[in-house]
């Protein structure tokens, strides 16, 4: 069952019963914890995808810099 509340959506997840009981005993907010962990996982996947998609361009830029040097090199300019 799904329903949208503001920017959030209800969903069902399956968790280890023992882990769920421990989290409840410690008063851990499951929604906030899962939301944060999922956000971090998505951000990491996006970072890896960006690196994969742009690796050739970064390699090309690095090769050019190795060959030609930096534009500010030897000029005292940062």
């Amino acid at each position: 069952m799904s329903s949208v509340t503001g920017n959030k959506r209800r969903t069902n997840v399956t968790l280890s019963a023992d882990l769920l009981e421990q989290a409840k005993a410690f008063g851990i907010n499951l929604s906030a914890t899962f939301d944060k962990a999922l956000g971090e996982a998505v951000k990491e996947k996006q970072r890896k995808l960006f690196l994969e998609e742009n690796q050739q361009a970064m390699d090309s830029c690095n090769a050019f810099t190795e060959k030609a040097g930096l534009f500010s090199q030897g000029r005292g300019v940062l």
Side-chain angles (χ1 to χ4, degrees):
M1 173 179 196
S2 277
S3 69
V4 177
T5 307
N7 235 2
K8 301 200 177 214
R9 180 181 294 177
R10 287 182 175 267
T11 190
N12 294 322
V13 295
T14 303
L15 304 170
S16 162
D18 184 50
L19 189 58
L20 180 59
E21 290 302 318
Q22 290 178 48
K24 284 184 178 183
F26 286 118
I28 295 173
N29 181 323
L30 296 176
S31 293
T33 302
F34 187 71
D35 197 57
K36 182 179 178 183
L38 188 58
E40 291 171 0
V42 167
K43 187 175 181 178
E44 179 61 18
K45 291 287 187 180
Q46 289 172 329
R47 185 189 74 79
K48 286 181 179 180
L49 181 61
F50 174 85
L51 291 175
E52 286 175 17
E53 290 176 342
N54 293 284
Q55 190 62 52
Q56 185 178 358
M58 290 185 285
D59 290 344
S60 177
C61 183
N62 289 337
F64 175 81
T65 302
E66 284 290 322
K67 182 178 178 183
L70 297 173
F71 297 115
S72 63
Q73 197 169 12
R75 294 184 176 85
V77 177
L78 294 178

